Amino acid sequence: CDMKYVLLEMDRILRPGGHAIIRESSYFADAIVTIAKGMRWICHKENTEYGVEKEKIVVCQKKLWQPSNSGSR
């Protein structure tokens, strides 16, 4: 499956303030962080309990955000 669609569905389900914890290879962890930051989530990567570079844990929090009022009357 395509990771952007998975994250989009997670964004739909998660409430503001909710967390998503994802364990994935380092390559996909970087892609997840990039996509999640585009959805205005706060993310950081952690090492696994084994401390290997092959796998990472991504911790993301969905924030409540609203568009700015600069375009409204």
Side-chain angles (χ1 to χ4, degrees), residues 3 22-29 32 48 54-58:
M3 186 54 69
I22 304 163
R23 184 181 188 135
E24 193 55 77
S25 69
S26 294
Y27 173 77
F28 283 113
I32 290 167
T48 63
K54 190 171 93 172
E55 216 174 39
K56 294 287 183 186
I57 295 174
V58 180

Side-chain angles (χ1 to χ4, degrees), residues 7 28-38 41 43-45 58 60:
L7 289 171
F28 283 113
D30 292 336
I32 290 167
V33 169
T34 301
I35 295 168
K37 285 185 177 181
W41 289 13
C43 296
H44 65 278
K45 293 185 289 185
V58 180
C60 297

Side-chain angles (χ1 to χ4, degrees), residues 47-62:
N47 291 326
T48 63
E49 67 272 19
Y50 303 115
V52 294
E53 280 294 316
K54 190 171 93 172
E55 216 174 39
K56 294 287 183 186
I57 295 174
V58 180
V59 180
C60 297
Q61 183 179 24
K62 179 180 177 177

